[in-house]
Amino acid sequence: MKKTKWILDPMHSEILFKVKHLMLTTVTGHFGSFKAEATTEDDAFNRTTDISFTADVDSLYTNNSQRDNHLKSPDFFNAEQYPKLEFAAKDYDAARGELKGDLTIRGITKPVIFKAAFSGTTADPYGQTKAGFSLSGKLNRKDFGLHWNTLTEAGGVVVGDEVKIFAEIQFTREAAKSEEPVKETAAVL
């Protein structure tokens, strides 16, 4: 059976995370540099044989440079020693809307499950076939060695343990070798 390769469209994709601060408000961050690929047996993603994702830890951004630097430090992600987050899918169940796989942070690999809503496929104005997903999930940061915390005077914690993850992913179907790749114009949609 012919397999189809899909590559991430980074201009139309985003990866966000949210975590409680002082158990009062939620801080949102995102990764500015990441890659993803998928291999399927059809354009409907019913039979997905491979999905992988990597994010550059150094591209982490929370709208506060002091906090960003602390998150990249050995207290949290340790970007110098562990420059990438990695996800490798083990199973995508389209009927249940679940994507299961292994997430690696700081060299620690744990199984995770994301809710995955497939938005379908369509052709863009340049003739390329696009596919979209909305993903969400949560994890305990301490499971991945992100233990840093401190107590407030009232005995509360500064950083919550639960991290919520949200992603909007748009893939572009890779052109077959016999097809000429479509070039986009200067206009960015």
Side-chain angles (χ1 to χ4, degrees):
M1 177 169 271
K2 183 182 174 197
K3 296 187 185 252
T4 302
K5 186 170 182 181
W6 301 82
I7 54 174
L8 180 79
D9 177 349
M11 289 178 27
H12 300 103
S13 301
E14 64 182 3
I15 308 292
L16 304 172
F17 61 90
K18 296 178 177 282
V19 65
K20 284 287 190 185
H21 178 258
L22 298 175
M23 304 316 287
L24 296 173
T25 58
T26 300
V27 171
T28 301
H30 72 269
F31 292 95
S33 176
F34 52 93
K35 296 178 182 177
E37 292 183 354
T39 303
T40 62
E41 292 182 6
D42 61 23
D43 284 357
F45 280 76
N46 290 318
R47 303 263 320 171
T48 304
T49 58
D50 183 43
I51 299 174
S52 63
F53 164 83
T54 61
D56 295 324
V57 174
D58 204 43
S59 73
L60 178 147
Y61 177 77
T62 66
N63 200 29
N64 179 295
S65 62
Q66 184 178 357
R67 179 174 48 225
D68 295 348
N69 290 334
H70 189 206
L71 288 170
K72 295 173 192 178
S73 79
D75 283 344
F76 286 98
F77 288 101
N78 196 354
E80 189 173 316
Q81 186 172 353
Y82 304 102
K84 299 211 180 282
L85 303 176
E86 297 175 345
F87 174 78
K90 289 187 163 202
D91 181 46
Y92 169 62
D93 187 330
R96 294 178 66 186
E98 287 185 346
L99 177 63
K100 297 178 184 178
D102 290 329
L103 179 64
T104 302
I105 300 173
R106 284 183 62 114
I108 298 171
T109 302
K110 298 282 184 178
V112 294
I113 300 173
F114 293 107
K115 294 208 176 292
F118 178 54
S119 304
T121 59
T122 191
D124 72 6
Y126 309 103
Q128 296 174 316
T129 300
K130 302 285 188 159
F133 282 91
S134 294
L135 302 170
S136 63
K138 59 186 174 181
L139 56 91
N140 185 317
R141 66 186 179 89
K142 290 182 177 178
D143 290 345
F144 295 91
L146 305 172
H147 294 287
W148 184 91
N149 219 340
T150 192
L151 296 177
T152 65
E153 287 182 18
V157 295
V158 173
V159 181
D161 292 343
E162 181 181 87
V163 179
K164 295 179 180 177
I165 300 169
F166 302 93
E168 292 294 323
I169 303 294
Q170 189 172 115
F171 284 111
T172 303
R173 185 175 66 196
E174 193 173 73
K177 296 200 187 306
S178 63
E179 294 178 32
E180 196 60 37
V182 177
K183 297 193 190 243
E184 293 189 18
T185 64
V188 176
L189 300 177

